[in-house]
Amino acid sequence: MSQYQRLFLIAGPTMRHTPALQRAVALAEATGAALHITVFIEDSNILGLIHASARFREACQQENEKWLKDEADLIRGRGINLSTEVLFTRDALQEILQHVTTTQADLVIKDVQHESALKRVFITPLDWHLLRECPVPVHLVSEVSCPLPRVIVAAVDPSHPETQITGINDLIVQAANELATQCQAEMHLLYAYDLSQTHISDAGAGAVTMPGFNSDVRKSLHKSFITLADHYGVPTERQHFVAGPPGKALADFAAHHRADVIVMGNAHRKGLEKWVGSTTEHVLYRVPCNILAVTGQADQ
């Protein structure tokens, strides 16, 4: 049985043949999964108007329904089980989360919504909200060099297992491996470690780095990484243990290896931690490829 049974594509009123649409159709065709497409039109943002007139709303809906019907005929012609709808909403996030439940989707697919750094200071992007609150994996697509991915990277972090999200590395590798199997793609395992963050903290003296400490930490981290790779049978040539800040290391690796998808972990958080953000969120606009985020529950 395929990993994916029901795919849910989130679209906007200006969407046409976007990368996310291409990826969703290709995955549905390859896996035999049903595909549901919803065009979400945010009522408060139509051409910058606070409230759109009834006539304008109707024209906008008809235009999108016509395009979606024509596109659906082409997609169904490829043997794909497809359902579609156009929906006006004032709360896109809640509508999306409700649709995930009602459609029983096991993968959400969406184009990356690029936002400036300044805007992100004042408004949390919808993509970040989805990463934080969506109960199923989210595939955020920024570009598609070919419909199906050819190089998939599982980005793991085997350090400090006692403080990690329970089972998140396993979820990442399993998701990457299953996607690679269905798409006949290569699956690579990557750990970007940042030794600048590995130090002994002393209440009186601040951060203290002891001679040989970084070397010992690196050996320990490498051993944990190899153990994880061996457990999943990842060939040596597809194991990548690299140094550097995660964001830059992931971006450099993706560019050098022409990766199509990086599979990363994301946690459902509560309280203040919910607004701190995660590595997945912060690399979203930096890596030259697409993201597949799998969720886990943060340890309390």
Side-chain angles (χ1 to χ4, degrees):
M1 179 179 291
S2 168
Q3 173 196 8
Y4 302 128
Q5 301 299 308
R6 288 169 291 276
L7 308 178
F8 175 30
L9 173 64
I10 300 169
T14 59
M15 97 168 251
R16 288 299 180 257
H17 296 94
T18 67
L21 173 62
Q22 296 176 52
R23 176 55 49 83
V25 171
L27 283 176
E29 189 171 35
T31 64
L35 174 60
H36 181 76
I37 303 176
T38 299
V39 175
F40 289 95
I41 305 174
E42 294 194 63
D43 201 4
S44 61
N45 290 327
I46 301 175
L47 295 182
L49 301 177
I50 299 301
H51 297 291
S53 68
R55 180 177 297 180
F56 185 84
R57 282 168 54 98
E58 182 179 357
C60 185
Q61 181 152 352
Q62 289 177 351
E63 178 185 356
N64 279 276
E65 286 177 344
K66 181 181 184 305
W67 171 80
L68 201 51
K69 180 182 181 302
D70 292 342
E71 195 66 30
D73 290 341
L74 296 175
I75 295 173
R76 291 191 181 102
R78 298 169 64 168
I80 295 172
N81 180 3
L82 176 70
S83 55
T84 64
E85 66 178 321
V86 177
L87 179 67
F88 277 86
T89 178
R90 293 188 179 181
D91 191 340
L93 176 64
Q94 292 307 313
E95 288 285 359
I96 290 169
L97 295 178
Q98 182 178 340
H99 272 64
V100 170
T101 300
T102 56
T103 62
Q104 296 183 310
D106 42 29
L107 179 67
V108 171
I109 305 170
K110 182 184 179 298
D111 287 286
V112 172
Q113 182 178 340
H114 290 280
E115 303 284 6
S116 68
L118 179 61
K119 186 175 181 179
R120 296 198 301 269
V121 171
F122 300 100
I123 302 175
T124 303
L126 175 60
D127 294 348
W128 284 19
H129 279 299
L130 285 175
L131 289 174
R132 296 173 185 183
E133 301 187 39
C134 187
V136 301
V138 178
H139 187 19
L140 293 172
V141 186
S142 57
E143 61 179 37
V144 171
S145 56
C146 57
L148 288 177
R150 289 291 172 255
V151 178
I152 297 167
V153 180
V156 297
D157 181 2
S159 66
H160 307 298
E162 70 282 358
T163 61
Q164 291 294 313
I165 303 163
T166 304
I168 192 65
N169 285 324
D170 293 323
L171 292 175
I172 291 170
V173 179
Q174 290 166 10
N177 189 51
E178 289 169 350
L179 180 62
T181 299
Q182 292 180 102
C183 299
Q184 298 182 349
E186 291 183 1
M187 197 278 280
H188 293 249
L189 192 68
L190 170 68
Y191 174 38
Y193 67 94
D194 187 359
L195 284 181
S196 68
Q197 301 301 315
T198 58
H199 56 264
I200 297 176
S201 180
D202 178 83
V208 177
T209 301
M210 299 176 63
F213 180 73
N214 280 356
S215 177
D216 290 340
V217 170
R218 183 188 182 284
K219 290 178 182 178
S220 177
L221 293 176
H222 188 249
K223 181 178 179 180
S224 298
F225 174 73
I226 294 299
T227 299
L228 182 65
D230 290 345
H231 177 72
Y232 284 99
V234 180
T236 303
E237 65 272 17
R238 295 183 185 174
Q239 300 175 16
H240 309 278
F241 184 73
V242 300
K248 184 178 187 303
L250 288 171
D252 290 346
F253 182 89
H256 185 264
H257 291 268
R258 297 184 178 179
D260 182 271
V261 177
I262 295 181
V263 184
M264 303 181 67
N266 209 58
H268 286 172
R269 304 173 186 274
K270 296 181 180 180
L272 291 176
E273 287 190 353
K274 182 177 181 179
W275 309 110
V276 173
S278 68
T279 300
T280 306
E281 294 166 12
H282 294 308
V283 304
L284 181 60
Y285 304 106
R286 298 184 60 183
V287 294
C289 66
N290 310 302
I291 296 290
L292 174 60
V294 299
T295 57
Q297 294 298 325
D299 294 334
Q300 302 299 316

